[in-house]
Amino acid sequence: MTEVYRDPHAAIGDRVADLLGRMTLEEKVAQLGAVWLTAVVRDEVFDADHAAEILANGIGQVTRIGASTGLLANESAQLGNSIQQILVERTRLGIPMVIHEEGVGGFLHRGATTFPQGLGLAATWDVELMAEVAEVIRTQMTAVGARHNLSPVLDVARDPRWGRVEETYGESPELCARMGTAYVQGLQTDNLANGVVCTGKHFLGYGYSLGGRNQAPVHIGERELREVYAEPFAAAIRDAGLASIMNSYSSIDGEPVAASRRLLTDLLRGELGFDGTVVADYFAVLQLHFNHMTALDAAESAIQALSAGLDIELPALDCYKHLPEAVRAGRIGEAIVDESCARVLAQKFQLGLFENPYVDADAALALFDTPEQRALARRAAAEGVILLKNEGVLPLDPSISRLAVVGPHADDPRLLQGDYHYPAHLEIIYQGRTEAVTEALGGIGADMDADQLPEAGGRFSPGPHFNPHVTPVGGLRDALPHAEVVHVAGCADAGRDTSGIAAAVEAAAAADVAVVCVGARSGLVAESTVGEARDATDLQLPGVQSQLVAEVAATGTPTIVVVISGRVHTLEEESEAADALLWSILPGEEGGRAIADVLVGAVNPAGRLPVTMPRHVGQIPLHHDMRRRGDRSEFYGDYVDRSAQARYWFGHGLSYTTFEYGDLTVAAGSTTSATEISVPVANAGQRDGDEVVQLYATDEVASVARPIREMIGFARVSIPAGQTRTVAFTVHPSRLAFHGRDMELIAEPGLFTFRVGASSFDPDMREAQVELTGEVARYDRQAIVATSVEVT
């Protein structure tokens, strides 16, 4: 008789109950953790007998085969199959494992398509494009057998000093929610048997830490925590069925998230309705002992985390391995172990792994970086280019004869990459820099055994493996085949060496136009100036790059500054000096072609800022939806030493054509019925183009202080020259709800102002005030309805 858990026709709940009842305590705990690849590989060779010994009790997950090796897709798939075979055929119960990987800006694997970093994708404001990118990531992950993705990053980014802003979707809960939801839908699909589990991270408030420091404490009130920082997670859960959540490293008001039942169970599962698995950020359980000092040792760390609702310890069973002993000693109940194990098993059944544990390794390589996928990478990078300033120099005259392309980012493929792109992320391994791992993990690595960290060297070493990348120099040479394109770096991306600037200035002086490519180096190692654990107090361009821009501009040659960076820089001097200023946010393998497409006018720019760009670091925090009295420029005037205005506000971005907005038509709803808002948008210029139409709301009088204006909807709309499109928003009253004085989520009647325009502080915004009628209505976060958009 076939065991119930092996019956594909049985209900998942019945299969889980049957399997759980057959498992020993050690087998249950093994499902709550992962194993490094190095634990099952000896002397750079997979050893089946050694692996069978290590995995005798099974394992929940295998940690990042692609992201810690230099294996090609077919080799990676075959290795995954070999490990899976041990678990399916040589363990008592045959429970398959899950391989987890990373995918912020593309699958973090050798040969996978390198799309723009997360913030660069957000700059497109294109949810359909995001879903297409996610589908490619899903295709490549499933090809090698990776079924759990440690993405997307749903942190709302409000402090540009924090190095990981580049991985997020920006400062707006609405933009983060819509882009994140599209990403999850593209990867998970509506049936996990065909998809990849997505992990929303980092729950919660991780991007608003003390001093902008990675992993630092967070001090956020309960209202702000829910309305701003939890909302992207809530949206991905209710609108896309987000299947996994990763905890934040930080403590919130002194409570480490990894040990907080209030956050991981009461808020996440109770208020937000989450029913998937909660996974630990790497070494987060250990940090309860080593960093937060709320646990005496690894065993107590495990008890605190599992009791809080943290199901799976990653990247290895460093603490949870002590759970069997803790259960037998009466320190924690086995029922708590069962609860988490049941969720892990249920997800494996949903993924179809018991029926289809293996992949076709021979077919994997053909699904990596195809011409169609590269074309999508180019489109994504081009859609995300933000034209911040243009004084008539762009698009470039096609008859241009000599172009100087200078700057450290002009011809270096490494500088097109973000910290979670391959191979930038893997520098910590292929340089053999375990000290960099230790630093990035807040000191954790120093206390670990050598076999707990990936090793460098040998067949499995990731090495500096790049897909073919196109730099701005290469892209411009292709786009302007009849022009002489002269390249001089001028300076490095960091450091104080100015000896090369004179040659760059000479090249610029002799050219018709100068393009200066500057920015920051993203990564995790010490040489990086942005990325995870690469926080900063100075938001200016690193090194002497500002001097390079100033001296090139001083030649009088029309100067275009292209910023290629994941950092939100203060570009006060660069903006003044440049004739045109663009930001391309770590655009990936096709970044050079995408930038060239915009510069020569083959693509009409429509990227928009997903973050506000301050004038000075002293203005932080500065974002479009500050609560009343938060916008100092409106109520208090400027600082005593400089303007309080942003250099460029959230949502800003220029085009080569002109869009004109008509008057708003508003049909006011109530606290229980939707408000309908529509606006005609005409392309009054000579070029076809995309406009990003943005809807903002202001609650004029409320029982608690509300944002001056918050974005509640948007649409990227293609409008041919001379034509008009009507954009209609349907705003459900739950979208206007907030946590009142008693912390209930309510929609209040009263006066509201709705604004529609091209940015958060567009001076030409169209606006209308309406009275929402009705009684105070109560909602919950699971029932919030996203603003819908129809374009005609």
Side-chain angles (χ1 to χ4, degrees):
M1 179 178 177
T2 302
E3 299 96 331
V4 172
Y5 81 89
R6 295 187 184 277
D7 181 0
H9 303 294
I12 286 179
D14 293 338
R15 298 178 78 180
V16 169
D18 178 64
L19 179 54
L20 198 61
R22 300 172 185 272
M23 299 172 72
T24 67
L25 180 56
E26 282 74 16
E27 288 170 334
K28 293 173 185 176
V29 169
Q31 291 299 311
L32 306 185
V35 62
W36 283 109
L37 179 61
T38 48
V40 295
V41 172
R42 288 199 301 190
D43 300 323
E44 299 294 333
V45 176
F46 176 71
D47 184 327
D49 291 335
H50 173 65
E53 181 180 349
I54 296 295
L55 302 174
N57 288 317
I59 198 69
Q61 300 199 1
V62 170
T63 293
R64 303 199 319 170
I65 293 175
S68 60
T69 73
L71 298 177
L72 294 171
N74 57 322
E75 299 170 322
S76 176
Q78 184 56 58
L79 178 58
N81 281 345
S82 297
I83 299 171
Q84 192 75 288
Q85 186 176 17
I86 298 298
L87 292 159
V88 171
E89 300 180 16
R90 296 179 63 174
T91 60
R92 188 175 72 89
L93 295 170
I95 303 173
M97 57 79 180
V98 170
I99 300 168
H100 73 256
E101 298 281 4
E102 300 278 3
V104 172
F107 183 14
L108 208 167
H109 191 293
R110 181 180 178 183
T113 306
T114 308
F115 293 101
Q117 179 73 310
L119 194 65
L121 291 170
T124 70
W125 295 56
D126 189 337
V127 292
E128 289 80 12
L129 172 70
M130 176 64 86
E132 291 183 56
V133 169
E135 288 167 9
V136 172
I137 298 172
R138 171 173 54 84
T139 296
Q140 295 177 350
M141 283 190 168
T142 55
V144 300
R147 302 299 297 281
H148 192 130
N149 175 21
L150 302 185
S151 302
V153 177
L154 297 177
D155 295 305
V156 177
R158 295 284 174 87
D159 193 331
R161 295 173 297 179
W162 185 46
R164 300 189 76 173
V165 168
E166 65 174 53
E167 301 170 36
T168 76
Y169 300 135
E171 71 181 41
S172 162
E174 174 74 9
L175 184 60
C176 292
R178 298 280 67 77
M179 299 300 280
T181 295
Y183 181 98
V184 174
Q185 289 169 334
L187 266 150
Q188 292 190 174
T189 75
D190 57 2
N191 181 359
L192 274 181
N194 303 318
V196 174
V197 167
C198 281
T199 301
K201 61 186 187 184
H202 308 80
F203 195 84
L204 189 62
Y206 189 47
Y208 202 59
S209 57
L210 194 66
R213 299 299 307 278
N214 197 50
Q215 305 184 15
V218 169
H219 301 286
I220 301 174
E222 292 297 313
R223 183 174 288 104
E224 191 92 351
L225 198 68
R226 286 162 171 76
E227 294 177 1
V228 174
Y229 297 95
E231 180 52 27
F233 295 90
I237 291 166
R238 63 179 177 253
D239 297 338
L242 179 65
S244 179
I245 290 284
M246 176 181 282
N247 73 285
S248 160
Y249 282 123
S250 300
S251 62
I252 299 180
D253 194 25
E255 186 177 16
V257 175
S260 174
R261 188 168 182 85
R262 181 179 66 87
L263 294 171
L264 296 183
T265 298
D266 298 343
L267 175 58
L268 179 59
R269 297 193 184 278
E271 291 185 40
L272 305 189
F274 178 69
D275 62 2
T277 55
V278 177
V279 303
D281 204 344
Y282 280 18
F283 311 105
V285 183
L286 270 173
Q287 287 195 10
L288 296 175
H289 168 49
F290 283 110
N291 285 357
H292 294 295
M293 306 300 291
T294 62
L296 180 64
D297 53 24
E300 188 174 344
S301 296
I303 293 168
Q304 289 184 7
L306 191 68
S307 299
L310 203 160
D311 299 314
I312 304 173
E313 182 183 16
L314 300 181
L317 281 162
D318 299 309
C319 298
Y320 279 16
K321 66 184 179 185
H322 299 291
L323 286 171
E325 181 184 349
V327 169
R328 294 186 181 105
R331 299 177 66 189
I332 186 171
E334 187 169 354
I336 298 177
V337 175
D338 288 353
E339 185 178 4
S340 286
C341 187
R343 285 194 283 261
V344 172
L345 296 175
Q347 202 157 80
K348 290 187 176 184
F349 285 123
Q350 291 168 349
L351 287 166
L353 289 171
F354 283 80
E355 290 70 52
N356 299 292
Y358 307 116
V359 297
D360 183 352
D362 292 336
L365 200 57
L367 299 174
F368 273 56
D369 211 29
T370 65
E372 294 78 14
Q373 291 165 350
R374 289 193 69 94
L376 180 62
R378 180 175 181 173
R379 178 161 69 89
E383 282 198 22
V385 173
I386 308 163
L387 180 60
L388 296 169
K389 175 185 177 181
N390 184 22
E391 295 188 346
V393 69
L394 291 178
L396 290 171
D397 187 333
S399 66
I400 189 171
S401 62
R402 185 178 176 89
L403 184 71
V405 185
V406 305
H409 287 64
D411 201 32
D412 186 344
R414 170 63 183 80
L415 299 181
L416 299 173
Q417 302 216 340
D419 63 351
Y420 275 77
H421 282 145
Y422 188 107
H425 188 75
L426 277 298
E427 287 175 326
I428 57 174
I429 300 174
Y430 67 69
Q431 293 181 6
R433 297 176 63 95
T434 55
E435 73 276 10
V437 179
T438 298
E439 180 184 1
L441 297 174
I444 292 297
D447 299 283
M448 298 171 61
D449 295 332
D451 63 358
Q452 290 179 294
L453 290 174
E455 298 173 357
R459 190 169 74 89
F460 290 107
S461 175
H465 302 301
F466 282 86
N467 281 359
H469 276 57
V470 182
T471 65
V473 169
L476 284 165
R477 283 177 174 156
D478 288 345
L480 297 168
H482 303 297
E484 181 185 4
V485 177
V486 178
H487 168 239
V488 179
C491 66
D493 61 274
R496 307 310 302 176
D497 184 3
T498 62
S499 61
I501 291 180
V505 169
E506 181 180 358
D512 300 315
V513 175
V515 177
V516 189
C517 298
V518 293
R521 176 183 293 263
S522 178
L524 280 74
V525 298
E527 293 85 352
S528 302
T529 48
V530 68
E532 185 171 3
R534 300 292 97 199
D535 313 313
T537 61
D538 186 349
L539 301 183
Q540 293 182 315
L541 293 172
V544 296
Q545 294 182 78
S546 292
Q547 181 179 344
L548 173 67
V549 171
E551 294 194 24
V552 168
T555 65
T557 299
T559 299
I560 301 162
V561 175
V562 179
V563 179
I564 302 172
S565 179
R567 174 78 70 197
V568 185
H569 294 287
T570 51
L571 299 172
E572 190 81 341
E573 295 176 359
E574 291 77 9
S575 181
E576 292 295 327
D579 296 285
L581 177 64
L582 300 87
W583 188 17
S584 178
I585 305 172
L586 302 172
E589 64 185 39
E590 286 288 321
R593 286 197 180 98
I595 291 167
D597 286 341
V598 171
L599 292 179
V600 303
V603 170
N604 192 345
R608 299 292 183 264
L609 282 176
V611 288
T612 294
M613 300 189 79
R615 295 174 183 269
H616 189 272
V617 70
Q619 294 176 276
I620 296 167
L622 184 67
H623 45 90
H624 74 284
D625 52 353
M626 306 282 278
R627 291 184 188 270
R628 298 285 186 177
R629 297 259 175 192
D631 183 358
R632 299 173 181 86
S633 63
E634 184 172 339
F635 292 102
Y636 294 124
D638 291 329
Y639 291 98
V640 296
D641 56 347
R642 64 179 62 238
S643 170
Q645 284 288 341
R647 166 46 70 182
Y648 298 108
W649 283 107
F650 170 81
H652 172 72
L654 303 177
S655 172
Y656 295 151
T657 189
T658 302
F659 296 102
E660 295 180 352
Y661 287 69
D663 293 333
L664 298 188
T665 300
V666 181
S670 68
T671 56
T672 57
S673 62
T675 296
E676 305 287 346
I677 303 165
S678 64
V679 61
V681 183
N683 183 342
Q686 302 300 310
R687 292 173 175 265
D688 298 346
D690 289 3
E691 173 69 325
V692 178
V693 181
Q694 303 163 42
L695 171 64
Y696 296 84
T698 302
D699 189 345
E700 297 295 352
V701 179
S703 54
V704 299
R706 299 288 295 132
I708 295 166
R709 62 185 68 187
E710 62 177 333
M711 188 175 72
I712 60 171
F714 66 89
R716 181 166 174 143
V717 183
S718 295
I719 310 177
Q723 295 191 23
T724 299
R725 296 287 183 265
T726 298
V727 182
F729 297 95
T730 299
V731 182
H732 191 270
S734 64
R735 188 60 189 83
L736 303 173
F738 59 92
H739 290 273
R741 293 186 180 185
D742 58 3
M743 286 303 294
E744 281 195 282
L745 186 62
I746 57 174
E748 290 182 341
L751 189 65
F752 284 77
T753 301
F754 294 101
R755 297 178 175 89
V756 178
S759 74
S760 55
F761 284 88
D762 176 7
D764 297 322
M765 269 187 167
R766 297 295 186 260
E767 66 178 63
Q769 284 193 336
V770 297
E771 189 84 19
L772 264 60
T773 58
E775 302 296 325
V776 173
R778 286 166 174 78
Y779 292 93
D780 61 60
R781 301 218 72 83
Q782 298 178 41
I784 291 177
V785 178
T787 300
S788 62
V789 185
E790 182 178 356
V791 180
T792 56

